[in-house]
Amino acid sequence: MSKIFSMQELAEQLLELLSRTAYPSEQMESYVNRLVESFKWEGAPYVEIGEKHYIVKIYERGVPSLIKKLERTEEVLYWLLEDMIFTAAHVTLLKKYGVDNVNTHLDYTNEVWQEIEDNVLKAFRAIGEPYLSWHQEGKRRELETVQPKKGKSSI
């Protein structure tokens, strides 16, 4: 089990890892700062810190739709990185194509999705291991999958 970081330590580590990418530091700082905001963005992971573990929650319509307990700081960092890097890649494409997805919309063609995926992969290559391998292996899906409790029916 890894050392449990304080929220400040998590933020500092995230900023250090994100500084290795090509995304603007101001943009990355805003994503890291939202971890301590009272408003919870839809679909983004948020962290609560316990003595020996983290509780990561994802909110939908203001209500937690996923609650997961993790003991490894690296997994928490990875989960947050996945969300922040994907968001940065998406925002970059919105700007590139001059759309805001409110009044004008991005046409999510296969090429656009590939461009987002390529930009995310490029960022993880800049960050390095273990996060790059986890990204390539699809660890985010594993983290966001609810495991049935032992002895309980899955029905």
Side-chain angles (χ1 to χ4, degrees):
M1 180 171 75
S2 60
K3 174 188 178 284
I4 301 298
F5 282 16
S6 68
M7 190 60 76
Q8 180 65 33
E9 291 171 314
L10 274 178
E12 289 170 1
Q13 186 64 36
L14 283 167
L15 289 171
E16 192 282 316
L17 292 166
L18 291 165
S19 74
R20 301 176 192 177
T21 71
Y23 295 111
S25 60
E26 301 82 27
Q27 182 182 18
M28 297 296 97
E29 287 171 13
S30 73
Y31 298 157
V32 172
N33 288 338
R34 78 176 177 206
L35 288 172
V36 294
E37 292 176 356
S38 58
F39 178 80
K40 304 301 183 207
W41 293 90
E42 296 281 312
Y46 289 89
V47 180
E48 294 175 10
I49 300 172
E51 285 187 35
K52 296 182 179 184
H53 62 271
Y54 302 91
I55 304 278
V56 181
K57 296 180 181 182
I58 295 180
Y59 289 82
E60 299 290 337
R61 299 181 185 207
V63 177
S65 62
L66 177 72
I67 301 172
K68 198 149 191 183
K69 185 165 77 170
L70 296 174
E71 295 179 354
R72 294 182 58 202
T73 300
E74 295 79 14
E75 288 182 332
V76 173
L77 289 167
Y78 165 73
W79 200 346
L80 295 169
L81 286 169
E82 273 285 351
D83 179 69
M84 292 174 186
I85 291 169
F86 177 84
T87 300
H90 185 243
V91 168
T92 298
L93 262 95
L94 293 176
K95 289 178 183 176
K96 175 181 175 180
Y97 292 108
V99 298
D100 61 12
N101 271 5
V102 175
N103 300 307
T104 55
H105 298 278
L106 187 59
D107 184 11
Y108 292 96
T109 63
N110 289 338
E111 292 78 19
V112 167
W113 279 114
Q114 188 61 55
E115 194 170 351
I116 291 172
E117 290 175 18
D118 290 347
N119 290 336
V120 171
L121 180 58
K122 182 178 178 182
F124 273 104
R125 283 187 176 136
I127 290 172
E129 296 299 339
Y131 310 107
L132 173 60
S133 293
W134 288 351
H135 170 72
Q136 292 172 318
E137 295 164 3
K139 188 171 183 70
R140 183 175 185 168
R141 276 186 301 283
E142 171 193 325
L143 292 171
E144 293 182 0
T145 300
V146 178
Q147 302 297 325
K149 296 189 180 203
K150 293 178 182 168
K152 300 274 184 177
S153 170
S154 59
I155 299 176

